[in-house]
Amino acid sequence: MLAILVAASACKMSHEDVRADSVHVAEQVKLTNQLAAQKDSLMTVVLDADKFISHIDSQIGRVRDLPAQKRKKDTESPIQDQLQARKDLLVRVDALVKRAQTTARDLAASRSHVKHLTSDSTHFAQSIDGQLKMIAELNSTIQRQTTRLNTMQLAVDSLAGANAKLGTELALLQTTHNKVYYVIGREDDLVKKGIVVREGGANLFVAHPGRTLQPARMLDPALFTPIDQREVHEIAVPDSTRQYAIVSRQSLDDADVANRDHSNFRGNLKIKDADRFWSPSKYLIIVQR
């Protein structure tokens, strides 16, 4: 009886184990199918990602001086390859980002420099405009001053011409003013030439007491010796032993002689003060006694 119970119990357990194994196998198959489907889906994602990474990597590869892509090692897992490719890509992207940041900073600095240069250029242009305006004003002033100077030069030239003319006239006037005449001769010769005349006195047949010699009213300069009173201060007589007398209006008091007897003198006639001596007359008449 006990044996029958044990056999029955063993039979029952065998059927339950078989049933449990069948269920377990079915679950294993289901899980295997799900895993295979997930693996296929994952491979599709991996391939798409790899294609995307390759496209990005090809675009980044155009940029110079980036870290070189590491050489791929043979691995058994495409996922590990993908992860390594992503790491390599991230390194290159990071380098590209850093370069972009550096370029952005350089660009900002360049823009600031260009802005500064533009400001300086504007200021410089304004300064040039101001200087050009000042130069134009100076040119205008110079032209006005040049015109004025030309006018003044014409006036100066005119005045210089007038002064030269006046100087010539003054020199001629001074020469004329200082030009004086003298003549020395015997009484009869002077009378015959019409230089002197006899006036007054009694008209006797033998003598004419009281008669004096006077200069003629009209004198001819050609009968005299012309001199410049500024240069000639001594008049020489023909014979220093003879006596001479001044007939004209000059005075012996304004001259020096070696020997004087009232109005008569001997020796040369030295003029002390030309202006005073010649002021009574420009004509000096000396008669020899």
Side-chain angles (χ1 to χ4, degrees), residues 188-225:
D188 292 342
D189 294 335
L190 295 176
V191 171
K192 288 179 180 179
K193 293 178 180 179
I195 297 175
V196 297
V197 295
R198 297 183 180 97
E199 293 183 352
N203 188 10
L204 301 176
F205 290 103
V206 179
H208 302 278
R211 180 176 292 182
T212 59
L213 291 176
Q214 298 294 331
R217 293 177 180 176
M218 299 295 296
L219 296 175
D220 184 3
L223 300 176
F224 290 76
T225 300

PDB file of all heavy atoms in Angstrom, residues 188-225:
ATOM      1  N   ASP A 188      87.999 199.919 -65.920  1.00  0.00           N
ATOM      2  CA  ASP A 188      87.585 200.208 -67.291  1.00  0.00           C
ATOM      3  C   ASP A 188      87.061 198.955 -67.983  1.00  0.00           C
ATOM      4  O   ASP A 188      86.062 199.014 -68.717  1.00  0.00           O
ATOM      5  CB  ASP A 188      88.772 200.786 -68.083  1.00  0.00           C
ATOM      6  CG  ASP A 188      89.166 202.185 -67.592  1.00  0.00           C
ATOM      7  OD1 ASP A 188      88.319 202.808 -66.911  1.00  0.00           O
ATOM      8  OD2 ASP A 188      90.294 202.590 -67.860  1.00  0.00           O
ATOM      9  N   ASP A 189      87.741 197.847 -67.746  1.00  0.00           N
ATOM     10  CA  ASP A 189      87.289 196.594 -68.373  1.00  0.00           C
ATOM     11  C   ASP A 189      85.902 196.197 -67.862  1.00  0.00           C
ATOM     12  O   ASP A 189      85.042 195.756 -68.639  1.00  0.00           O
ATOM     13  CB  ASP A 189      88.281 195.470 -68.085  1.00  0.00           C
ATOM     14  CG  ASP A 189      89.639 195.724 -68.753  1.00  0.00           C
ATOM     15  OD1 ASP A 189      89.652 196.451 -69.760  1.00  0.00           O
ATOM     16  OD2 ASP A 189      90.639 195.160 -68.260  1.00  0.00           O
ATOM     17  N   LEU A 190      85.685 196.376 -66.590  1.00  0.00           N
ATOM     18  CA  LEU A 190      84.399 196.001 -66.012  1.00  0.00           C
ATOM     19  C   LEU A 190      83.289 196.926 -66.518  1.00  0.00           C
ATOM     20  O   LEU A 190      82.153 196.460 -66.778  1.00  0.00           O
ATOM     21  CB  LEU A 190      84.460 196.039 -64.470  1.00  0.00           C
ATOM     22  CG  LEU A 190      85.418 195.018 -63.811  1.00  0.00           C
ATOM     23  CD1 LEU A 190      85.455 195.222 -62.296  1.00  0.00           C
ATOM     24  CD2 LEU A 190      84.997 193.590 -64.162  1.00  0.00           C
ATOM     25  N   VAL A 191      83.627 198.176 -66.682  1.00  0.00           N
ATOM     26  CA  VAL A 191      82.630 199.119 -67.212  1.00  0.00           C
ATOM     27  C   VAL A 191      82.296 198.774 -68.654  1.00  0.00           C
ATOM     28  O   VAL A 191      81.120 198.796 -69.057  1.00  0.00           O
ATOM     29  CB  VAL A 191      83.140 200.578 -67.080  1.00  0.00           C
ATOM     30  CG1 VAL A 191      82.219 201.539 -67.827  1.00  0.00           C
ATOM     31  CG2 VAL A 191      83.257 200.987 -65.626  1.00  0.00           C
ATOM     32  N   LYS A 192      83.346 198.504 -69.460  1.00  0.00           N
ATOM     33  CA  LYS A 192      83.110 198.170 -70.856  1.00  0.00           C
ATOM     34  C   LYS A 192      82.234 196.909 -70.997  1.00  0.00           C
ATOM     35  O   LYS A 192      81.405 196.812 -71.892  1.00  0.00           O
ATOM     36  CB  LYS A 192      84.450 197.951 -71.569  1.00  0.00           C
ATOM     37  CG  LYS A 192      85.235 199.241 -71.788  1.00  0.00           C
ATOM     38  CD  LYS A 192      86.555 198.949 -72.477  1.00  0.00           C
ATOM     39  CE  LYS A 192      87.359 200.224 -72.697  1.00  0.00           C
ATOM     40  NZ  LYS A 192      88.661 199.958 -73.351  1.00  0.00           N
ATOM     41  N   LYS A 193      82.418 195.952 -70.133  1.00  0.00           N
ATOM     42  CA  LYS A 193      81.626 194.705 -70.198  1.00  0.00           C
ATOM     43  C   LYS A 193      80.205 194.887 -69.666  1.00  0.00           C
ATOM     44  O   LYS A 193      79.372 194.000 -69.793  1.00  0.00           O
ATOM     45  CB  LYS A 193      82.322 193.596 -69.410  1.00  0.00           C
ATOM     46  CG  LYS A 193      83.644 193.162 -70.055  1.00  0.00           C
ATOM     47  CD  LYS A 193      84.317 192.086 -69.210  1.00  0.00           C
ATOM     48  CE  LYS A 193      85.622 191.630 -69.831  1.00  0.00           C
ATOM     49  NZ  LYS A 193      86.305 190.609 -69.022  1.00  0.00           N
ATOM     50  N   GLY A 194      79.955 196.017 -69.058  1.00  0.00           N
ATOM     51  CA  GLY A 194      78.617 196.270 -68.513  1.00  0.00           C
ATOM     52  C   GLY A 194      78.388 195.610 -67.186  1.00  0.00           C
ATOM     53  O   GLY A 194      77.235 195.425 -66.762  1.00  0.00           O
ATOM     54  N   ILE A 195      79.458 195.276 -66.508  1.00  0.00           N
ATOM     55  CA  ILE A 195      79.324 194.632 -65.210  1.00  0.00           C
ATOM     56  C   ILE A 195      79.134 195.672 -64.120  1.00  0.00           C
ATOM     57  O   ILE A 195      78.363 195.475 -63.182  1.00  0.00           O
ATOM     58  CB  ILE A 195      80.549 193.743 -64.920  1.00  0.00           C
ATOM     59  CG1 ILE A 195      80.629 192.609 -65.964  1.00  0.00           C
ATOM     60  CG2 ILE A 195      80.490 193.157 -63.514  1.00  0.00           C
ATOM     61  CD1 ILE A 195      81.879 191.750 -65.844  1.00  0.00           C
ATOM     62  N   VAL A 196      79.811 196.778 -64.230  1.00  0.00           N
ATOM     63  CA  VAL A 196      79.672 197.886 -63.275  1.00  0.00           C
ATOM     64  C   VAL A 196      79.374 199.168 -64.046  1.00  0.00           C
ATOM     65  O   VAL A 196      79.635 199.260 -65.256  1.00  0.00           O
ATOM     66  CB  VAL A 196      80.945 198.063 -62.415  1.00  0.00           C
ATOM     67  CG1 VAL A 196      81.192 196.842 -61.569  1.00  0.00           C
ATOM     68  CG2 VAL A 196      82.145 198.383 -63.299  1.00  0.00           C
ATOM     69  N   VAL A 197      78.814 200.096 -63.279  1.00  0.00           N
ATOM     70  CA  VAL A 197      78.542 201.430 -63.852  1.00  0.00           C
ATOM     71  C   VAL A 197      79.037 202.476 -62.873  1.00  0.00           C
ATOM     72  O   VAL A 197      79.117 202.221 -61.667  1.00  0.00           O
ATOM     73  CB  VAL A 197      77.032 201.614 -64.129  1.00  0.00           C
ATOM     74  CG1 VAL A 197      76.544 200.652 -65.208  1.00  0.00           C
ATOM     75  CG2 VAL A 197      76.220 201.430 -62.852  1.00  0.00           C
ATOM     76  N   ARG A 198      79.339 203.676 -63.441  1.00  0.00           N
ATOM     77  CA  ARG A 198      79.766 204.786 -62.602  1.00  0.00           C
ATOM     78  C   ARG A 198      78.542 205.648 -62.311  1.00  0.00           C
ATOM     79  O   ARG A 198      77.814 206.013 -63.234  1.00  0.00           O
ATOM     80  CB  ARG A 198      80.840 205.626 -63.289  1.00  0.00           C
ATOM     81  CG  ARG A 198      82.134 204.843 -63.569  1.00  0.00           C
ATOM     82  CD  ARG A 198      83.173 205.778 -64.179  1.00  0.00           C
ATOM     83  NE  ARG A 198      84.432 205.090 -64.476  1.00  0.00           N
ATOM     84  CZ  ARG A 198      84.769 204.610 -65.643  1.00  0.00           C
ATOM     85  NH1 ARG A 198      83.938 204.733 -66.685  1.00  0.00           N
ATOM     86  NH2 ARG A 198      85.940 204.029 -65.803  1.00  0.00           N
ATOM     87  N   GLU A 199      78.353 205.956 -61.050  1.00  0.00           N
ATOM     88  CA  GLU A 199      77.174 206.752 -60.687  1.00  0.00           C
ATOM     89  C   GLU A 199      77.598 207.887 -59.751  1.00  0.00           C
ATOM     90  O   GLU A 199      78.504 207.740 -58.947  1.00  0.00           O
ATOM     91  CB  GLU A 199      76.126 205.873 -59.982  1.00  0.00           C
ATOM     92  CG  GLU A 199      75.500 204.820 -60.883  1.00  0.00           C
ATOM     93  CD  GLU A 199      74.424 204.037 -60.168  1.00  0.00           C
ATOM     94  OE1 GLU A 199      74.276 204.212 -58.935  1.00  0.00           O
ATOM     95  OE2 GLU A 199      73.734 203.207 -60.796  1.00  0.00           O
ATOM     96  N   GLY A 200      76.836 209.030 -59.867  1.00  0.00           N
ATOM     97  CA  GLY A 200      77.018 210.166 -58.967  1.00  0.00           C
ATOM     98  C   GLY A 200      78.278 210.977 -59.262  1.00  0.00           C
ATOM     99  O   GLY A 200      78.986 210.730 -60.237  1.00  0.00           O
ATOM    100  N   GLY A 201      78.552 211.988 -58.430  1.00  0.00           N
ATOM    101  CA  GLY A 201      79.742 212.822 -58.547  1.00  0.00           C
ATOM    102  C   GLY A 201      79.543 213.985 -59.525  1.00  0.00           C
ATOM    103  O   GLY A 201      78.582 214.021 -60.297  1.00  0.00           O
ATOM    104  N   ALA A 202      80.442 214.981 -59.449  1.00  0.00           N
ATOM    105  CA  ALA A 202      80.396 216.157 -60.319  1.00  0.00           C
ATOM    106  C   ALA A 202      80.932 215.801 -61.688  1.00  0.00           C
ATOM    107  O   ALA A 202      81.891 215.044 -61.823  1.00  0.00           O
ATOM    108  CB  ALA A 202      81.228 217.275 -59.710  1.00  0.00           C
ATOM    109  N   ASN A 203      80.312 216.386 -62.707  1.00  0.00           N
ATOM    110  CA  ASN A 203      80.698 216.084 -64.074  1.00  0.00           C
ATOM    111  C   ASN A 203      81.662 217.154 -64.553  1.00  0.00           C
ATOM    112  O   ASN A 203      81.285 218.117 -65.204  1.00  0.00           O
ATOM    113  CB  ASN A 203      79.459 216.052 -64.963  1.00  0.00           C
ATOM    114  CG  ASN A 203      79.791 215.546 -66.365  1.00  0.00           C
ATOM    115  OD1 ASN A 203      80.888 215.046 -66.609  1.00  0.00           O
ATOM    116  ND2 ASN A 203      78.845 215.696 -67.265  1.00  0.00           N
ATOM    117  N   LEU A 204      82.936 217.012 -64.201  1.00  0.00           N
ATOM    118  CA  LEU A 204      83.969 217.945 -64.623  1.00  0.00           C
ATOM    119  C   LEU A 204      84.708 217.341 -65.811  1.00  0.00           C
ATOM    120  O   LEU A 204      84.721 216.130 -66.015  1.00  0.00           O
ATOM    121  CB  LEU A 204      84.957 218.224 -63.478  1.00  0.00           C
ATOM    122  CG  LEU A 204      84.315 218.808 -62.193  1.00  0.00           C
ATOM    123  CD1 LEU A 204      85.376 218.952 -61.122  1.00  0.00           C
ATOM    124  CD2 LEU A 204      83.656 220.149 -62.514  1.00  0.00           C
ATOM    125  N   PHE A 205      85.335 218.221 -66.602  1.00  0.00           N
ATOM    126  CA  PHE A 205      86.023 217.719 -67.789  1.00  0.00           C
ATOM    127  C   PHE A 205      87.232 216.876 -67.421  1.00  0.00           C
ATOM    128  O   PHE A 205      87.572 215.917 -68.119  1.00  0.00           O
ATOM    129  CB  PHE A 205      86.470 218.912 -68.656  1.00  0.00           C
ATOM    130  CG  PHE A 205      85.300 219.615 -69.313  1.00  0.00           C
ATOM    131  CD1 PHE A 205      84.827 220.827 -68.802  1.00  0.00           C
ATOM    132  CD2 PHE A 205      84.710 219.052 -70.441  1.00  0.00           C
ATOM    133  CE1 PHE A 205      83.780 221.474 -69.414  1.00  0.00           C
ATOM    134  CE2 PHE A 205      83.662 219.733 -71.035  1.00  0.00           C
ATOM    135  CZ  PHE A 205      83.171 220.925 -70.536  1.00  0.00           C
ATOM    136  N   VAL A 206      87.881 217.245 -66.365  1.00  0.00           N
ATOM    137  CA  VAL A 206      89.119 216.539 -66.008  1.00  0.00           C
ATOM    138  C   VAL A 206      88.852 215.411 -65.046  1.00  0.00           C
ATOM    139  O   VAL A 206      89.386 214.317 -65.154  1.00  0.00           O
ATOM    140  CB  VAL A 206      90.140 217.517 -65.396  1.00  0.00           C
ATOM    141  CG1 VAL A 206      91.421 216.799 -64.990  1.00  0.00           C
ATOM    142  CG2 VAL A 206      90.432 218.632 -66.397  1.00  0.00           C
ATOM    143  N   ALA A 207      87.985 215.620 -64.032  1.00  0.00           N
ATOM    144  CA  ALA A 207      87.728 214.619 -62.997  1.00  0.00           C
ATOM    145  C   ALA A 207      86.248 214.584 -62.684  1.00  0.00           C
ATOM    146  O   ALA A 207      85.489 215.509 -63.047  1.00  0.00           O
ATOM    147  CB  ALA A 207      88.520 214.923 -61.738  1.00  0.00           C
ATOM    148  N   HIS A 208      85.908 213.541 -61.975  1.00  0.00           N
ATOM    149  CA  HIS A 208      84.502 213.363 -61.563  1.00  0.00           C
ATOM    150  C   HIS A 208      84.481 213.035 -60.076  1.00  0.00           C
ATOM    151  O   HIS A 208      84.339 211.883 -59.684  1.00  0.00           O
ATOM    152  CB  HIS A 208      83.848 212.213 -62.356  1.00  0.00           C
ATOM    153  CG  HIS A 208      83.910 212.443 -63.837  1.00  0.00           C
ATOM    154  ND1 HIS A 208      83.007 213.238 -64.524  1.00  0.00           N
ATOM    155  CD2 HIS A 208      84.798 211.987 -64.781  1.00  0.00           C
ATOM    156  CE1 HIS A 208      83.305 213.255 -65.809  1.00  0.00           C
ATOM    157  NE2 HIS A 208      84.410 212.491 -65.992  1.00  0.00           N
ATOM    158  N   PRO A 209      84.696 214.054 -59.258  1.00  0.00           N
ATOM    159  CA  PRO A 209      84.713 213.804 -57.809  1.00  0.00           C
ATOM    160  C   PRO A 209      83.342 213.314 -57.313  1.00  0.00           C
ATOM    161  O   PRO A 209      82.305 213.757 -57.792  1.00  0.00           O
ATOM    162  CB  PRO A 209      85.059 215.170 -57.221  1.00  0.00           C
ATOM    163  CG  PRO A 209      84.651 216.164 -58.265  1.00  0.00           C
ATOM    164  CD  PRO A 209      84.840 215.503 -59.581  1.00  0.00           C
ATOM    165  N   GLY A 210      83.421 212.381 -56.310  1.00  0.00           N
ATOM    166  CA  GLY A 210      82.179 211.847 -55.721  1.00  0.00           C
ATOM    167  C   GLY A 210      81.541 210.712 -56.504  1.00  0.00           C
ATOM    168  O   GLY A 210      80.519 210.148 -56.094  1.00  0.00           O
ATOM    169  N   ARG A 211      82.116 210.364 -57.648  1.00  0.00           N
ATOM    170  CA  ARG A 211      81.522 209.277 -58.456  1.00  0.00           C
ATOM    171  C   ARG A 211      81.914 207.911 -57.839  1.00  0.00           C
ATOM    172  O   ARG A 211      83.047 207.734 -57.422  1.00  0.00           O
ATOM    173  CB  ARG A 211      82.003 209.373 -59.879  1.00  0.00           C
ATOM    174  CG  ARG A 211      81.449 208.293 -60.796  1.00  0.00           C
ATOM    175  CD  ARG A 211      81.898 208.517 -62.210  1.00  0.00           C
ATOM    176  NE  ARG A 211      81.264 209.732 -62.739  1.00  0.00           N
ATOM    177  CZ  ARG A 211      81.428 210.179 -63.991  1.00  0.00           C
ATOM    178  NH1 ARG A 211      82.243 209.509 -64.806  1.00  0.00           N
ATOM    179  NH2 ARG A 211      80.836 211.272 -64.397  1.00  0.00           N
ATOM    180  N   THR A 212      80.976 206.977 -57.831  1.00  0.00           N
ATOM    181  CA  THR A 212      81.211 205.630 -57.283  1.00  0.00           C
ATOM    182  C   THR A 212      80.868 204.567 -58.329  1.00  0.00           C
ATOM    183  O   THR A 212      80.114 204.830 -59.280  1.00  0.00           O
ATOM    184  CB  THR A 212      80.354 205.372 -56.038  1.00  0.00           C
ATOM    185  OG1 THR A 212      78.971 205.519 -56.394  1.00  0.00           O
ATOM    186  CG2 THR A 212      80.704 206.374 -54.930  1.00  0.00           C
ATOM    187  N   LEU A 213      81.461 203.390 -58.109  1.00  0.00           N
ATOM    188  CA  LEU A 213      81.159 202.245 -58.979  1.00  0.00           C
ATOM    189  C   LEU A 213      80.040 201.402 -58.335  1.00  0.00           C
ATOM    190  O   LEU A 213      80.066 201.092 -57.134  1.00  0.00           O
ATOM    191  CB  LEU A 213      82.388 201.350 -59.176  1.00  0.00           C
ATOM    192  CG  LEU A 213      83.529 201.951 -60.010  1.00  0.00           C
ATOM    193  CD1 LEU A 213      84.723 200.984 -60.031  1.00  0.00           C
ATOM    194  CD2 LEU A 213      83.047 202.206 -61.434  1.00  0.00           C
ATOM    195  N   GLN A 214      79.075 201.007 -59.147  1.00  0.00           N
ATOM    196  CA  GLN A 214      77.949 200.185 -58.688  1.00  0.00           C
ATOM    197  C   GLN A 214      77.741 199.020 -59.647  1.00  0.00           C
ATOM    198  O   GLN A 214      77.985 199.140 -60.858  1.00  0.00           O
ATOM    199  CB  GLN A 214      76.676 201.036 -58.627  1.00  0.00           C
ATOM    200  CG  GLN A 214      76.735 202.206 -57.641  1.00  0.00           C
ATOM    201  CD  GLN A 214      76.825 201.727 -56.197  1.00  0.00           C
ATOM    202  OE1 GLN A 214      76.329 200.645 -55.854  1.00  0.00           O
ATOM    203  NE2 GLN A 214      77.489 202.534 -55.354  1.00  0.00           N
ATOM    204  N   PRO A 215      77.292 197.877 -59.127  1.00  0.00           N
ATOM    205  CA  PRO A 215      77.001 196.753 -60.030  1.00  0.00           C
ATOM    206  C   PRO A 215      75.883 197.129 -60.998  1.00  0.00           C
ATOM    207  O   PRO A 215      74.958 197.873 -60.638  1.00  0.00           O
ATOM    208  CB  PRO A 215      76.557 195.630 -59.082  1.00  0.00           C
ATOM    209  CG  PRO A 215      77.110 196.023 -57.750  1.00  0.00           C
ATOM    210  CD  PRO A 215      77.085 197.516 -57.705  1.00  0.00           C
ATOM    211  N   ALA A 216      75.992 196.655 -62.196  1.00  0.00           N
ATOM    212  CA  ALA A 216      74.934 196.909 -63.171  1.00  0.00           C
ATOM    213  C   ALA A 216      73.646 196.214 -62.705  1.00  0.00           C
ATOM    214  O   ALA A 216      73.664 195.210 -61.986  1.00  0.00           O
ATOM    215  CB  ALA A 216      75.346 196.408 -64.536  1.00  0.00           C
ATOM    216  N   ARG A 217      72.520 196.767 -63.130  1.00  0.00           N
ATOM    217  CA  ARG A 217      71.241 196.197 -62.699  1.00  0.00           C
ATOM    218  C   ARG A 217      70.956 194.839 -63.363  1.00  0.00           C
ATOM    219  O   ARG A 217      70.294 194.010 -62.771  1.00  0.00           O
ATOM    220  CB  ARG A 217      70.133 197.180 -63.006  1.00  0.00           C
ATOM    221  CG  ARG A 217      70.258 198.453 -62.152  1.00  0.00           C
ATOM    222  CD  ARG A 217      69.191 199.459 -62.508  1.00  0.00           C
ATOM    223  NE  ARG A 217      69.333 200.659 -61.684  1.00  0.00           N
ATOM    224  CZ  ARG A 217      68.578 201.758 -61.835  1.00  0.00           C
ATOM    225  NH1 ARG A 217      67.668 201.796 -62.797  1.00  0.00           N
ATOM    226  NH2 ARG A 217      68.770 202.790 -61.044  1.00  0.00           N
ATOM    227  N   MET A 218      71.444 194.623 -64.550  1.00  0.00           N
ATOM    228  CA  MET A 218      71.289 193.357 -65.256  1.00  0.00           C
ATOM    229  C   MET A 218      72.672 192.763 -65.472  1.00  0.00           C
ATOM    230  O   MET A 218      73.483 193.336 -66.192  1.00  0.00           O
ATOM    231  CB  MET A 218      70.578 193.570 -66.587  1.00  0.00           C
ATOM    232  CG  MET A 218      69.169 194.142 -66.438  1.00  0.00           C
ATOM    233  SD  MET A 218      68.042 193.007 -65.591  1.00  0.00           S
ATOM    234  CE  MET A 218      68.010 191.660 -66.738  1.00  0.00           C
ATOM    235  N   LEU A 219      72.912 191.617 -64.835  1.00  0.00           N
ATOM    236  CA  LEU A 219      74.230 190.989 -64.926  1.00  0.00           C
ATOM    237  C   LEU A 219      74.128 189.705 -65.743  1.00  0.00           C
ATOM    238  O   LEU A 219      73.173 188.925 -65.609  1.00  0.00           O
ATOM    239  CB  LEU A 219      74.765 190.666 -63.525  1.00  0.00           C
ATOM    240  CG  LEU A 219      75.021 191.894 -62.616  1.00  0.00           C
ATOM    241  CD1 LEU A 219      75.426 191.446 -61.219  1.00  0.00           C
ATOM    242  CD2 LEU A 219      76.110 192.780 -63.220  1.00  0.00           C
ATOM    243  N   ASP A 220      75.128 189.485 -66.562  1.00  0.00           N
ATOM    244  CA  ASP A 220      75.189 188.298 -67.413  1.00  0.00           C
ATOM    245  C   ASP A 220      76.082 187.261 -66.744  1.00  0.00           C
ATOM    246  O   ASP A 220      77.293 187.495 -66.602  1.00  0.00           O
ATOM    247  CB  ASP A 220      75.745 188.677 -68.784  1.00  0.00           C
ATOM    248  CG  ASP A 220      75.740 187.499 -69.747  1.00  0.00           C
ATOM    249  OD1 ASP A 220      75.255 186.408 -69.348  1.00  0.00           O
ATOM    250  OD2 ASP A 220      76.204 187.660 -70.883  1.00  0.00           O
ATOM    251  N   PRO A 221      75.533 186.102 -66.312  1.00  0.00           N
ATOM    252  CA  PRO A 221      76.356 185.095 -65.635  1.00  0.00           C
ATOM    253  C   PRO A 221      77.512 184.598 -66.493  1.00  0.00           C
ATOM    254  O   PRO A 221      78.518 184.119 -65.949  1.00  0.00           O
ATOM    255  CB  PRO A 221      75.364 183.943 -65.358  1.00  0.00           C
ATOM    256  CG  PRO A 221      74.018 184.589 -65.355  1.00  0.00           C
ATOM    257  CD  PRO A 221      74.108 185.697 -66.364  1.00  0.00           C
ATOM    258  N   ALA A 222      77.389 184.708 -67.819  1.00  0.00           N
ATOM    259  CA  ALA A 222      78.459 184.224 -68.691  1.00  0.00           C
ATOM    260  C   ALA A 222      79.730 185.032 -68.526  1.00  0.00           C
ATOM    261  O   ALA A 222      80.826 184.570 -68.893  1.00  0.00           O
ATOM    262  CB  ALA A 222      78.001 184.253 -70.140  1.00  0.00           C
ATOM    263  N   LEU A 223      79.630 186.264 -67.986  1.00  0.00           N
ATOM    264  CA  LEU A 223      80.811 187.100 -67.794  1.00  0.00           C
ATOM    265  C   LEU A 223      81.506 186.820 -66.473  1.00  0.00           C
ATOM    266  O   LEU A 223      82.538 187.432 -66.186  1.00  0.00           O
ATOM    267  CB  LEU A 223      80.406 188.580 -67.863  1.00  0.00           C
ATOM    268  CG  LEU A 223      79.760 189.047 -69.179  1.00  0.00           C
ATOM    269  CD1 LEU A 223      79.322 190.509 -69.072  1.00  0.00           C
ATOM    270  CD2 LEU A 223      80.732 188.872 -70.330  1.00  0.00           C
ATOM    271  N   PHE A 224      80.955 185.902 -65.685  1.00  0.00           N
ATOM    272  CA  PHE A 224      81.491 185.590 -64.360  1.00  0.00           C
ATOM    273  C   PHE A 224      82.039 184.163 -64.344  1.00  0.00           C
ATOM    274  O   PHE A 224      81.780 183.352 -65.235  1.00  0.00           O
ATOM    275  CB  PHE A 224      80.396 185.720 -63.300  1.00  0.00           C
ATOM    276  CG  PHE A 224      79.946 187.131 -63.043  1.00  0.00           C
ATOM    277  CD1 PHE A 224      79.106 187.795 -63.937  1.00  0.00           C
ATOM    278  CD2 PHE A 224      80.364 187.806 -61.901  1.00  0.00           C
ATOM    279  CE1 PHE A 224      78.679 189.083 -63.678  1.00  0.00           C
ATOM    280  CE2 PHE A 224      79.932 189.095 -61.646  1.00  0.00           C
ATOM    281  CZ  PHE A 224      79.096 189.744 -62.539  1.00  0.00           C
ATOM    282  N   THR A 225      82.788 183.872 -63.299  1.00  0.00           N
ATOM    283  CA  THR A 225      83.273 182.520 -63.050  1.00  0.00           C
ATOM    284  C   THR A 225      82.336 181.848 -62.037  1.00  0.00           C
ATOM    285  O   THR A 225      82.228 182.330 -60.899  1.00  0.00           O
ATOM    286  CB  THR A 225      84.698 182.542 -62.488  1.00  0.00           C
ATOM    287  OG1 THR A 225      85.570 183.183 -63.451  1.00  0.00           O
ATOM    288  CG2 THR A 225      85.186 181.134 -62.194  1.00  0.00           C
TER     289      THR A 225
END
